[in-house]
Amino acid sequence: MSDPCHPPPAQAEYFSDGFSRKALYSIQVVGRFLRSGLTADNIMFGNYFDQRLPLPPFSGLFEWFMKRMDRTLVLDMKSDTPSAVSPLLSTVQKLSYWNGDLHGSERENVPEINNKILRELHPIDGAFDGAGRVAEFFPIKSSLNKDSKKRRRYFEKASHRQHWKVKPTDMYAFDFYSPFIDVNHQCVRMPNAVVEPMPYFDGDMPLRYECRTRDGSHTFFIVQFELIPASRTRQLRPHQNRPRREYRDSGYEREILDPPPPYTEED
């Protein structure tokens, strides 16, 4: 995970340029869903917690903000096992899909980013960009789509998600990232406001992203963020005496805060 407020001498190449340069963190997954009978409506991705959250008085504002970013978001923050999840195919920022039996052309110069994936899987041309990052490469209505907003808008409709069959032979690559949730400083950075402290980042209850079936009967994968005590991070950071870089509005936030209109058949 990159810390944009305390950048290392040579910042990770993945965050230094390209579409995800404004991300405060990034989760990238490449693989297959091996269970049969799945549709895009069955596969959910997001945060799951094992115990009740100590929600602050202004949590309603946070919920409104999150639903504005993702109209398919399902929030259950006040239960004994809270969750904030969305259908995977409608929430990730970049998504590529291809038949696992197909392979792309051999690359003469394989980028350092995702080097192992590109060498071993030989993904179909277009699934990853020239720098090695996951690209938007997804068919909609039998035509190739390279616009992530169009794909996310399309899968807002439950009928479209139910129609899309997820087969064990298909490969999926996605990148999920956020310019808002600052794990390093335990806060949510909204335009013109910073919400802190976040109750979700507790040493006994780490931030966990899971991909599950909608009914919770099967978990496909888990990505977990655990806090490192500040005393340890100071020992680990040779750049700790550098001036702290202040957070600035990047413009990327405004793009997400200005979501596209709901999907219509004319699209």
Side-chain angles (χ1 to χ4, degrees), residues 70 102 119 127 138 165 190 196 236:
D70 184 352
L102 302 178
R119 287 185 181 278
F138 199 90
K165 308 299 182 183
M190 298 186 292
E196 57 181 334
L236 294 173

Side-chain angles (χ1 to χ4, degrees), residues 212-224:
R212 300 182 181 181
T213 53
R214 183 179 287 271
D215 62 7
S217 63
H218 185 80
T219 300
F220 298 103
F221 62 86
I222 299 173
V223 178
Q224 181 167 296

Side-chain angles (χ1 to χ4, degrees), residues 12-26:
E13 185 180 355
Y14 192 92
F15 292 92
S16 64
D17 194 13
F19 67 82
S20 62
R21 66 185 181 278
K22 304 303 180 185
L24 295 178
Y25 68 91
S26 173

Side-chain angles (χ1 to χ4, degrees), residues 39-41 154-155 157-166:
T39 69
D41 197 49
Y154 179 79
F155 282 118
K157 291 192 67 173
S159 60
H160 291 165
R161 298 194 302 269
Q162 293 162 1
H163 182 73
W164 180 266
K165 308 299 182 183
V166 179

